[in-house]
Amino acid sequence: MSLEGHLVELERRHQAIEREIKTYLARPSSNSEQIIELKRRKLQLKDEIERLHSQKARRKLN
């Protein structure tokens, strides 16, 4: 998979987790542990997306 394709997939997954978090938060009996885990995964994806964007920018400079 190309770098661009990988970024698109990571961003898609990030958005999916965001929707899932919103769904959990809308429930009156939401599981806080599940929400914490989703937020952790979302943050990991965000970090990976930012790392790849930086890598992509460095490639353009070279």
Side-chain angles (χ1 to χ4, degrees):
M1 180 181 294
S2 70
L3 177 60
E4 192 62 37
H6 190 55
L7 276 167
V8 168
E9 176 60 21
L10 290 175
E11 289 168 353
R12 185 195 62 77
R13 288 172 42 202
H14 185 268
Q15 292 169 355
I17 290 174
E18 177 63 26
R19 287 189 301 273
E20 195 173 349
I21 290 170
K22 287 179 182 179
T23 300
Y24 271 102
L25 291 174
R27 295 179 187 162
S29 62
S30 59
N31 181 340
S32 62
E33 290 179 21
Q34 181 66 28
I35 293 169
I36 290 169
E37 175 61 22
L38 287 169
K39 287 183 176 184
R40 185 189 63 77
R41 287 180 25 217
K42 182 181 165 195
L43 182 58
Q44 286 177 328
L45 284 171
K46 180 182 175 192
D47 289 345
E48 179 69 5
I49 290 166
E50 289 176 358
R51 186 186 68 75
L52 291 174
H53 275 296
S54 294
Q55 182 180 350
K56 183 178 169 183
R58 282 193 305 271
R59 284 184 182 179
K60 285 184 178 181
L61 292 175
N62 292 331

